[in-house]
Amino acid sequence: MPIATRAFAATDSSSPLTPYSFDRRDPGPDDVAVAIKFAGVCHSDVHIVKNDLGNTRYPIVPGHEIAGVVTAVGENVTRFKIGDRVGVGCMVDSCRTCVSCREGEEQYCVPGMTQTYGSADPKGAAVGQTITQGGYSDAIVVDQNYVLSIPDALPLDAAAPLLCAGITTYSPLRHWKVGPGSKVAVVGLGGLGHMAVKQAVAMGAEVTVLSTSDRKKADAERMGAAHFLINSDKDAMKAAAEKFDLIINTVSATHEIAGHLQLLARDGTMVMLGLTTEGLPVFAMPLLWRRRSVAGSLIGGIRETQEMLDFCAEHGIASDIEVIAPDQINEAYARLEKSDVRYRFVIDISQMGKAA
């Protein structure tokens, strides 16, 4: 039978998120049904709710950092059983046949991955769903191939943000082969940045945090950063020239990046992770003179996401979180836009009934 689901949804680009009820599909042979316990709040949720990209379809239930417990499995499911601790990240399906999918890089699916919320949802047609709906809800049904196992060493609440923030930073650190001896700079100590610091330190890198002020310096040092650099300090920036092999830029607002290129060593790369909606000028000369690169990275594939969860469990890494009730989500959005969180909001879905 369809699963009656309680949620918080946006009904347009300017109104607050409000309680919303809908049906999840009956689990099919390959599906896993999950009782959601916690859902992280990502800055991209705010972008989608506010229709900053111009393609949001309403009503929309955001949330792609999902941690919960299996409540039912289909007859073909072999990887999970009832009671397992599981996670769902930014995607719930892909074409499975393109080169990217066959190589385990489903996030770069050529026709396009099926995102956890806001994508066309043919599987939901039987219960009247035209688009996928996300984790600000108390249940979800997902194909077993897109479900992750959360190790027992990770608390479910602090594990939830790993499903987006954690893998978004882990994937480029692995792709650019960060390890002992690497010098990594992280621009912005927020939801993504604090995960990048913790992971890069665990990989053996010497990590520097770049920020606009020193108010998070103590936090950066607690997380293992060796250095803290204020990017408006021209002398300090000059002294750090050509120091870094990799810069992980996590800032999701429009900001100046051309000056940061001088911090890269020869063959160094700045990887852009923040979802900015305006262009960021870059000049050719700093790139040409040291064969530097500016690159982008999305999330990771399912295989790499599971690797990340296991790595975080092994090294005792989890997100720094502030747990909120579902009816605090609008306040959290307002605070998130002011960078007033250290470092990830997580919704306690067990309180959904009280709010909705």
Side-chain angles (χ1 to χ4, degrees), residues 72-264:
V73 296
E75 60 188 36
N76 295 338
V77 174
T78 57
R79 298 177 54 229
F80 302 98
K81 64 183 185 303
I82 293 173
D84 283 353
R85 305 164 83 249
V86 296
V88 178
C90 300
M91 60 181 157
V92 293
D93 211 340
S94 65
C95 81
R96 313 189 193 199
T97 58
C98 71
V99 172
S100 291
C101 285
R102 293 199 307 270
E103 292 180 351
E105 301 277 8
E106 301 95 339
Q107 72 275 29
Y108 300 120
C109 175
V110 175
M113 63 175 171
T114 301
Q115 296 182 73
T116 304
Y117 65 90
S119 286
D121 184 20
K123 293 181 179 179
V127 288
Q129 295 300 316
T130 58
I131 62 171
T132 54
Q133 301 288 8
Y136 297 6
S137 59
D138 59 9
I140 194 167
V141 178
V142 181
D143 185 289
Q144 66 171 331
N145 292 296
Y146 297 81
V147 178
L148 290 308
S149 177
I150 296 180
D152 290 341
L154 294 173
L156 276 183
D157 54 0
L162 299 178
L163 278 305
C164 175
I167 186 57
T168 298
T169 53
Y170 184 88
S171 188
L173 290 171
R174 281 300 191 214
H175 182 78
W176 274 274
K177 298 179 171 57
V178 168
S182 298
K183 293 187 176 181
V184 175
V186 176
V187 182
L189 193 68
L192 293 180
H194 90 290
M195 291 307 310
V197 171
K198 292 182 180 185
Q199 291 169 342
V201 168
M203 292 174 186
E206 179 183 323
V207 177
T208 299
V209 170
L210 278 72
S211 188
T212 56
S213 75
D214 64 358
R215 66 188 181 93
K216 296 181 179 178
K217 182 177 180 180
D219 283 356
E221 292 173 345
R222 172 176 56 82
M223 294 171 193
H227 311 284
F228 193 93
L229 178 60
I230 297 175
N231 51 25
S232 60
D233 185 334
K234 294 181 179 179
D235 290 338
M237 291 285 282
K238 185 176 180 179
E242 304 195 31
K243 178 177 180 179
F244 302 110
D245 307 302
L246 183 69
I247 297 176
I248 300 290
N249 190 327
T250 70
V251 178
S252 58
T254 302
H255 62 292
E256 191 277 332
I257 64 170
H260 290 69
L261 294 177
Q262 301 287 2
L263 304 179
L264 290 169

Side-chain angles (χ1 to χ4, degrees), residues 261-279:
L261 294 177
Q262 301 287 2
L263 304 179
L264 290 169
R266 176 176 57 81
D267 292 323
T269 301
M270 178 188 292
V271 183
M272 308 299 296
L273 301 184
L275 181 59
T276 55
T277 55
E278 298 179 10

Side-chain angles (χ1 to χ4, degrees), residues 17 39-50 52 62-65 117 136 161 164-165 189-194 215-216 250-253 320 322 324 328-347:
L17 280 78
V41 179
C42 179
H43 204 280
S44 61
D45 297 345
V46 180
H47 282 305
I48 298 303
V49 164
K50 294 183 176 297
D52 289 340
H64 55 211
E65 298 180 336
Y117 65 90
Y136 297 6
C164 175
L189 193 68
L192 293 180
H194 90 290
R215 66 188 181 93
K216 296 181 179 178
T250 70
V251 178
S252 58
D320 288 17
E322 180 178 335
I324 61 171
Q328 294 176 292
I329 185 60
N330 295 299
E331 176 188 346
Y333 272 30
R335 287 178 54 194
L336 184 59
E337 293 194 290
K338 298 175 183 176
S339 299
D340 179 23
V341 58
R342 296 193 181 185
Y343 281 92
R344 204 67 157 181
F345 287 116
V346 172
I347 305 170

